[in-house]
Amino acid sequence: MTVALDRKWWHDAVVYQLYPRSFQDSDGDGIGDLEGIIRRLDYLNDGTPGSLGVDAVWLSPTFPSPMKDFGYDVLDYRGVHPDFGDLATMDRLIAECHKRSIRVLLDWVPNHTSDQHPWFLESRSSKVAPKRNWYVWRDEKADGSFPNNWVSAFGGPAWTFDPATGQYYLHSFLEEQPDLNWRNPEVVAAMHDVLRFWLDRGVDGFRIDVMGMIVKHPGLADNPPAPGWKPGGSDYARFLWRNNRNHPDVYPAVRGIRRVLDEYADRVAVGEVFGTAEEVAAYYGGDSLDGLHLAFNFQFIFESEADRRFTPWDAEAIRRIVANAERALPPGAQPCWAFGNHDRSRFLSRHNHDGHGYARARAAALLLLGLRGTPFVFYGEEIGMPDVAIPENRLQDPARFRSTGRDPERTPMQWDSSEGRGFSTAEPWLPYGPLDINVAAQADDETSILSLYRRAIWLRKQTAALLRGSLELLPAAPGIAAFARRAPGAKAAVVVVNTSLEAQEFAAPGTGSVLLATDEALAGARFATTVTLPPLAAAWLQLD
Ligand code: GLC
Ligand code: MG
């Protein structure tokens, strides 16, 4: 089988997710901003291995917004929120990134706008308003109940009654986030123009929010009840999200979005999608690969959308997730992996039930960066930032599908051990995490997780097998997950992870040397047939 040889920059890229509110404050208001990001770009990539070496950044939404959902409620798709700066600063950010060969992805939110967006204000103004049909309006059912049984991803009904016109509008998230009607060609055209607006300004692509929900069942049919749901369980898990997520009608819309990106050279779209490996794979557009360039596989966060139980750090789970993804993707499709983001408890905290979260976070770095595909690193992961407990009176996130909301994983980046962590001179919008976890403390420490990330990212760039190789799972003892990466004309690499609390022997498929390991003692070592991996260790091997 020949694999598509048309390699683009994003095939080789490591992408860094920036949460702009929390990266760097430059104007002393306790909120991160674009100017702050510009000042920290050399940390991300100054062209030398002393920097992290990431190839692209994705900025969570930076548009004007009432901030009910921290920017995922967009007021104006063509602007910049004053907390973050203005269009001129955004243009400068793009230019400064490009100077450093860092590509820029913005966060496009096509499923819904803010309820304050002029389109919605017009839509709700009257049943005959020209933009009435830009959103999803329905009458109540004959018995006076909601138009259907859909629930909001944040809990409660997905419908809000608007007394002014006596109808309900659909909102898959907060009631301040009405869903756009993607069956209306005017909406499609307007949203495509938003893409062009930013592509013309030089952005390299988009992370697409809630990709799988933009087109729903044509008749908005009820969702079937989820087998096994019991009263007292979450609203979210009560129904199978069959008619409002990953509906077959979403794929033509995805192709339409791809065609807009194809009007420009070298741009990329990465979709936030949820589901099985097959459902994720479908967003690539089948064998013609005319859908999204990349679609997130979140299975290392949770494997099942239905129960949303965090995936354990476990060799068998790793093997299963990787095998399923490789099997499901069409030929030539590039996998896309993330172990964390602004919506989920941080990796280190998810895996810290026995106090070994830090060791697992180190191993996860080598897994994430050793997988075939485009890895996304969530800001702070590279310094081992944990979830931060937020006192009740400082909670910001209105979406409490977790009792804490999503604030714990959104706290400010910790640059140094000063009171303001090098982040801000003012009270930060969310509290800081532990003082000792910061960039300055780790920058010159060869044994730090930051040094491990840096080395892994730079080594990956130089190691063809890791960057471009195929992936083949290798037989290994329980407790170990291992796979080989092979590229023509290059030495093979093996990624091996010991998820057990005991040392494990790994039978290597040949002789070679250790390229990089979580444990200093292993690095550089030669091996003949077996490699002994300490508890919770991971390594990259190079075969002779
Ligand atoms: C996505 C975002 C999340 C947001 C939601 C609604 O899941 O990642 O932060 O709340 O969409 O836009
Ligand atoms: Mg600021």
Side-chain angles (χ1 to χ4, degrees), residues 21 24-34 36 82-84 423-424:
R21 286 184 87 75
Q24 178 66 55
D25 178 20
S26 74
D27 58 356
D29 63 357
I31 299 174
D33 43 55
L34 299 185
D83 282 352
F84 298 134
F423 168 73
S424 181

Side-chain angles (χ1 to χ4, degrees), residues 69 72 112 154 173 207 209-210 272 342-343 406 410:
D69 188 17
Y72 288 95
H112 44 263
F154 296 152
F173 294 85
R207 176 266 189 185
D209 191 62
V210 193
E272 183 202 30
H342 62 294
D343 294 328
R406 297 164 294 181
R410 298 177 175 182

